[in-house]
Amino acid sequence: MPDHAAAAAPGAAPGVVRVTVAQVAVSDDHAANRETAVDAFQVAARAGSGLLVLPEYASAYDPRGVGPEHAEPLDGPFVTLLRERARKHGIAVVAGVTLPGSDGVRAANALVVVDAAGELAGVYRKVHLYDAFGYQESELLEPGPADAEPVTLRLGGLTFGVLTCYDLRFPESARRVVDAGADVLVYPAAWVAGPLKAEHWRTLLTARAIENTAVVIGVGMTGKGVTGRTLLAGPDGVVGLEMGEEQAYRTVDLDPAPLAAVRQTNPSLANRRYTVVPTGA
């Protein structure tokens, strides 16, 4: 069974958000993946968390590629389960899903954001498809629109913004979400294993935190062919949580006060001279 370690102190200050990250394995068995999500909610509920984060492709995953055969609509079994469990436990959730595409041929790699009342608060469709390192994600998936409004969720004293996996390699994506008000950037991922890939993952997550003076949480899928290695970096670049390749849950408290202090000392967001403009491509 996955282990659970709570790094959150009881009696947290106002505005603090307790987050459980689920570094879990996902298969092509949709029913089994729904059971994994149920287990993750139970862990988050026992920890008293306000937010649960599942990895990319949490509804179904095949290391050979995920396409329309694994797509479910927003009113399908997986998202319906997330909404029911979020409402039951009073816990918001971010999870990777595969949705039917618009062209009838490909699917869409997406994140759903469900609030603690079980309402669908937002859907982010992955903009940057993984056409790199010998993979061609665009053969099975269609990209999300680059000019779509960023998806954010306010919890406690923090605003969370979401991006997916390969988006991590594009700093302008993160800056655009921060411009929309995000204090915390959440990257659910199925980060493919390979030479230097774990090093890239760690370096890029830390860089996105430093350059945006934001908390960054990368939640990795574990299992065959992916790296796991869930990581949390603070706005000063200090790594506060780093996991290995094992299946496990961790719970942390995010306090808006230290983030505000870092942004006051290092006002790089205010000092910048450029803005991010989507290409629309």
Side-chain angles (χ1 to χ4, degrees):
M1 292 292 292
D3 67 316
H4 169 249
V16 170
V17 181
R18 185 163 291 180
V19 180
T20 294
V21 294
Q23 181 167 291
V24 294
V26 183
S27 72
D28 59 1
D29 183 335
H30 292 216
N33 298 330
R34 291 195 295 273
E35 287 302 313
T36 297
V38 169
D39 291 343
F41 267 109
Q42 290 173 343
V43 171
R46 288 196 298 269
S49 292
L51 176 65
L52 168 67
V53 185
L54 292 158
E56 181 185 21
Y57 291 125
S59 58
Y61 182 67
D62 186 330
R64 298 168 298 181
V66 179
E69 72 280 6
H70 290 301
E72 295 182 4
L74 288 172
D75 60 356
F78 191 80
V79 177
T80 297
L81 173 74
L82 295 182
R83 295 184 63 185
E84 291 173 349
R85 293 289 161 161
R87 187 181 307 113
K88 174 181 178 180
H89 295 294
I91 299 172
V93 61
V94 175
V97 299
T98 304
L99 302 176
S102 62
D103 61 9
V105 177
R106 296 179 294 174
N109 182 338
L111 296 176
V112 293
V113 179
V114 177
D115 68 20
E119 297 300 321
L120 188 63
V123 180
Y124 168 73
R125 290 170 171 81
K126 187 177 179 183
V127 170
H128 298 99
L129 298 183
Y130 188 51
D131 290 353
F133 295 94
Y135 289 80
Q136 199 71 25
E137 203 170 43
S138 62
E139 290 182 353
L140 299 173
L141 301 169
E142 62 183 24
D147 57 355
E149 288 298 314
V151 174
T152 62
L153 178 68
R154 185 72 177 178
L155 292 172
L158 295 164
T159 297
F160 293 75
V162 298
L163 292 160
T164 310
C165 199
Y166 189 51
D167 287 326
L168 180 62
R169 293 184 180 272
F170 301 88
E172 55 276 2
S173 292
R175 180 55 56 85
R176 189 163 179 264
V177 179
V178 169
D179 282 348
D183 306 301
V184 184
L185 296 171
V186 180
Y187 287 91
W191 196 263
V192 176
L196 296 177
K197 293 297 294 302
E199 289 82 356
H200 289 186
W201 169 250
R202 189 182 203 276
T203 299
L204 290 166
L205 287 168
T206 306
R208 297 296 86 84
I210 295 168
E211 68 199 8
N212 291 293
T213 54
V215 176
V216 172
I217 307 174
V219 179
M221 183 190 298
T222 190
K224 184 178 180 180
V226 288
T227 62
R229 299 180 184 274
T230 293
L231 183 144
L232 181 150
D236 53 4
V238 174
V239 174
L241 169 69
E242 188 166 17
M243 297 167 65
E245 298 179 2
E246 75 287 355
Q247 179 159 311
Y249 303 99
R250 294 291 185 271
T251 299
V252 297
D253 277 359
L254 302 185
D255 187 342
L259 183 143
V262 169
R263 287 184 168 178
Q264 183 173 12
T265 302
N266 176 20
S268 59
L269 293 175
N271 291 341
R272 66 194 175 113
R273 303 294 297 277
Y274 297 95
T275 59
V276 174
V277 180
T279 66

